[in-house]
Amino acid sequence: MAHPSTAPRRSLRTVPVLAAVAAAVLSGCAGGGTNTHETPAKPSPTSTPNGTVTRAEADQILDHYQEINNKANKTRDAGLLATVEAGQLYARSKADYEQFDTLNAKEKKEYSTPFYFTRRTFYIPPTGNWFAAAASTNGTNHTFMIFEKSADTGGSWKKVISLFPQQPLPAPQIKGGLAVPADQDAPVGNLAPSGVTNAIEDLFTTGGTKDGSKLSHANDNAKAILKTYKERRDHLGSQATVNFFPITPTHNKTYTLTTSSGVLAITALAHKEESLVTNAGLQISPGKRESVYNKTPRSLVVDSFQGEAVVHLPRQGKPEILDYRYALVDSR
């Protein structure tokens, strides 16, 4: 199961080497499932119009993903997983495998437990190269996913988005049995779907004083990001600076679904976190997860994060972040 990541936390000591304790949360189950042994749901006998895929084809794609992801998780086979995942989701999952040895015994056991998609719902556009799926993985844990078939995914259907909103998403509109996408560059209220990535990253970068001011700061997800921004320097004190900078997501694409009150924007996220000592005689000692990539003490630590988000853009009022996920994917 994927979890929201927070910025790495490091304790600071007034000694030549600063101790770093990274707390970037793993995105967990590479497939976006959780620990359950429920019987997979069977395809609905109800026929639907053909869009990018049929309902039966979408079910088969989920079945195949589920099977391959569970196999890959058993042995942490990144090559096998790459046959069913792409983009920033694959970057997060691959990082899970790389950082697996930093987990405790209970976490390792939970990670390799098979998952199954049940209670499946599909949102299939009439044209394009993607579709959305919602499912349950343990009866209470709900996931929202995007699958894509394009040159970026090697010409086969792969999952590129995996989210776990805590509350039900606004229901996408269905017309003639198919989902209704929206123009990603057309503003909905004060923000276009294509601007969501920059708006969320601005919460990390400036505390939401620029593009991030267009988002609601009142819900729990926005508050969590703003808390990370406000407290980014607390764990190192005055002997180091910590700042966030947007970077290009691995799979820089936005997907849209129209709702009765606005538009759901499902998009990629990415940023780097730079921690730099202010005294030339000091160094930062990387935490255990950062050390997977570079364990050398250094004056500057640059951590890279990849992630995804789903935001509702209402026609009236400010957009709300309904879920977001990050994982540490590199540290130099």
Side-chain angles (χ1 to χ4, degrees):
M1 170 182 168
H3 301 282
S5 174
T6 58
R9 302 293 182 185
R10 305 182 187 86
S11 58
L12 181 66
R13 300 175 186 172
T14 53
V15 293
V17 175
L18 310 183
V21 183
V25 180
L26 292 178
S27 62
C29 171
T34 56
N35 309 324
T36 175
H37 293 279
E38 296 182 49
T39 303
K42 297 299 182 183
S44 168
T46 304
S47 62
T48 57
N50 290 354
T52 53
V53 291
T54 65
R55 163 65 199 251
E57 289 168 340
D59 261 311
Q60 292 173 357
I61 291 167
L62 255 67
D63 286 341
H64 179 64
Y65 175 82
Q66 176 181 277
E67 175 189 1
I68 298 303
N69 196 161
N70 281 327
K71 286 182 179 178
N73 285 351
K74 285 186 74 171
T75 58
R76 300 182 298 285
D77 187 338
L80 179 60
L81 187 63
T83 65
V84 292
E85 276 190 8
Q88 68 279 353
L89 174 59
Y90 177 67
R92 292 199 291 123
S93 299
K94 184 171 178 285
D96 284 355
Y97 290 173
E98 293 166 344
Q99 299 168 34
F100 185 79
D101 288 341
T102 68
L103 300 177
N104 61 39
K106 181 181 178 182
E107 290 169 333
K108 289 178 179 178
K109 182 178 180 180
E110 291 175 346
Y111 190 92
S112 58
T113 303
F115 67 91
Y116 301 97
F117 294 126
T118 64
R119 304 178 189 176
R120 302 175 181 186
T121 303
F122 297 101
Y123 303 103
I124 302 171
T127 59
N129 59 9
W130 64 276
F131 69 90
S136 175
T137 53
N138 64 358
T140 58
N141 189 28
H142 302 285
T143 180
F144 185 82
M145 305 164 279
I146 298 289
F147 288 82
E148 180 179 318
K149 181 180 180 181
S150 68
D152 292 330
T153 67
S156 60
W157 285 106
K158 296 182 183 180
K159 186 157 79 165
V160 293
I161 296 281
S162 183
L163 293 160
F164 290 83
Q166 297 301 303
Q167 301 296 328
L169 299 179
Q173 286 187 319
I174 302 297
K175 184 177 293 186
L178 297 173
V180 182
D183 182 350
Q184 67 169 352
D185 295 319
V188 183
N190 67 351
L191 185 63
S194 58
V196 167
T197 296
N198 288 343
I200 293 178
E201 293 300 347
D202 183 60
L203 298 182
F204 285 97
T205 305
T206 73
T209 62
K210 296 180 180 178
D211 289 349
S213 65
K214 299 176 182 178
L215 297 171
S216 168
H217 292 187
N219 79 343
D220 289 343
N221 289 314
K223 287 179 179 178
I225 296 175
L226 291 171
K227 186 174 186 288
T228 297
Y229 170 78
K230 291 173 183 176
E231 297 178 354
R232 67 195 186 282
R233 296 188 177 114
D234 290 357
H235 53 293
L236 291 181
S238 61
Q239 298 187 70
T241 62
V242 181
N243 289 294
F244 297 96
F245 301 93
I247 59 176
T248 302
T250 301
H251 188 57
N252 195 15
K253 186 169 181 180
T254 298
Y255 311 85
T256 61
L257 291 168
T258 301
T259 72
S260 61
S261 57
V263 171
L264 283 175
I266 307 101
T267 194
L269 303 172
H271 62 244
K272 62 181 179 179
E273 179 188 11
E274 293 190 357
S275 301
L276 175 66
V277 298
T278 55
N279 297 322
L282 297 177
Q283 288 185 318
I284 297 172
S285 182
K288 61 181 181 179
R289 289 172 184 155
E290 292 164 314
S291 294
V292 170
Y293 305 100
N294 184 357
K295 63 183 179 181
T296 305
R298 50 201 187 271
S299 60
L300 172 65
V301 174
V302 180
D303 292 335
S304 297
F305 294 84
Q306 292 283 333
E308 305 116 64
V310 56
V311 173
H312 187 235
L313 284 65
R315 296 185 185 92
Q316 296 182 343
K318 288 193 172 184
E320 288 197 305
I321 304 170
L322 303 181
D323 190 34
Y324 73 100
R325 307 279 143 171
Y326 280 98
L328 174 73
V329 300
D330 194 20
S331 181
R332 301 296 170 188

